[in-house]
Amino acid sequence: MSYPKRTAALVSAAALAGPVLLLTAPAARADVVNVDYRCKTPIGAKSAVSPIDIKGVRSGSGYRITMSWQKGVSSSPVELGKGAMNPSATIRLGGADSGTLAVTGPANAAAIPADTPIKISDLSGSYTPRKTGKVTFTAATLTIKALGTTTTCNPSNNPGPSLTLDVTAAGGSGALSSSSSSSSSGGSAGGLPQTGPADSAVALGTLGGTVLLAGAAGALWLTRRNPAVRR
């Protein structure tokens, strides 16, 4: 092939490949989202806006999810000594998955002065995909325990997701690190099959029906083999 023809072929191939590369979706997308927390504290209601960052790092068959606060939320009327404040939070899942993921972290490494916004340490948790697709991670409830009291903070501004992951279910199923509630009808969260007494009862009922059918067939066979059995 001549040089001009070979050059034209390469240009054509690049032109065809270009749109394909542009259409390829990223595996993850992270956004820092402002969350307007309304907190119920032992001394009344408080509010604070903090940018929330959520990151996901591949870990085995799942992900290590880390939630970060860029500003402090709530405050204490008294100083909180080192290790006196223990935070935890939940992250709401959306898209291909649903439910919540629990994230936890260490107590405060240094004393927090009175009437100072409480800076939350990074909180982390493990997430294993249950379904394949795009899963969103959105800030939900923040809980602060300190000096025998509990402060609960919930977003009031319906924030958008801080993280979107394009995930693949491991073996077709998976589990969240946090527990999910089941309906009263016995179904389990996330569409996972439930095993327990109810299933055992169904299995025993099926087995009983099989035994009854086998018994009827046996009686019929004996009747045909020995007419005297009819009496």
Side-chain angles (χ1 to χ4, degrees):
M1 182 184 294
S2 64
Y3 178 78
K5 291 183 179 180
R6 185 166 52 208
T7 302
L10 290 174
V11 171
S12 299
L16 290 174
V20 176
L21 293 175
L22 292 175
L23 291 174
T24 302
R29 188 188 71 200
D31 297 306
V32 177
V33 177
N34 287 327
V35 178
D36 187 358
Y37 281 106
R38 299 298 169 90
C39 302
K40 295 181 179 180
T41 80
I43 60 172
K46 291 183 177 292
S47 63
V49 177
S50 176
I52 299 296
D53 183 23
I54 300 177
K55 289 184 172 62
V57 178
R58 189 81 186 184
S59 177
S61 60
Y63 294 84
R64 186 68 175 171
I65 304 298
T66 300
M67 186 177 189
S68 302
W69 281 258
Q70 296 187 3
K71 288 184 179 179
V73 297
S74 189
S75 62
S76 171
V78 298
E79 180 179 283
L80 299 178
K82 178 181 178 181
M85 186 271 294
N86 292 279
S88 62
T90 58
I91 297 174
R92 180 166 48 86
L93 306 177
D97 210 341
S98 61
T100 57
L101 171 69
V103 288
T104 58
N108 55 307
I112 302 174
D115 300 317
T116 300
I118 297 174
K119 177 66 169 66
I120 306 299
S121 58
D122 288 354
L123 305 182
S124 300
S126 297
Y127 169 70
T128 301
R130 298 185 299 180
K131 296 181 180 180
T132 298
K134 293 185 183 299
V135 178
T136 60
F137 298 77
T138 304
T141 302
L142 167 66
T143 302
I144 302 172
K145 293 186 177 183
L147 304 179
T149 66
T150 299
T151 293
T152 304
C153 303
N154 287 292
S156 63
N157 60 332
N158 192 28
S162 295
L163 175 67
T164 301
L165 288 178
D166 196 353
V167 304
T168 301
S173 64
L176 300 181
S177 65
S178 60
S179 60
S180 300
S181 60
S182 302
S183 64
S184 59
S185 61
S188 61
L192 296 177
Q194 180 181 2
T195 58
D199 291 331
S200 300
V202 174
L204 289 174
T206 303
L207 177 61
T210 304
V211 172
L212 288 174
L213 289 174
L220 180 60
W221 181 80
L222 288 174
T223 301
R224 289 182 177 178
R225 292 281 295 177
N226 188 0
V229 178
R230 295 178 182 176
R231 295 183 182 181

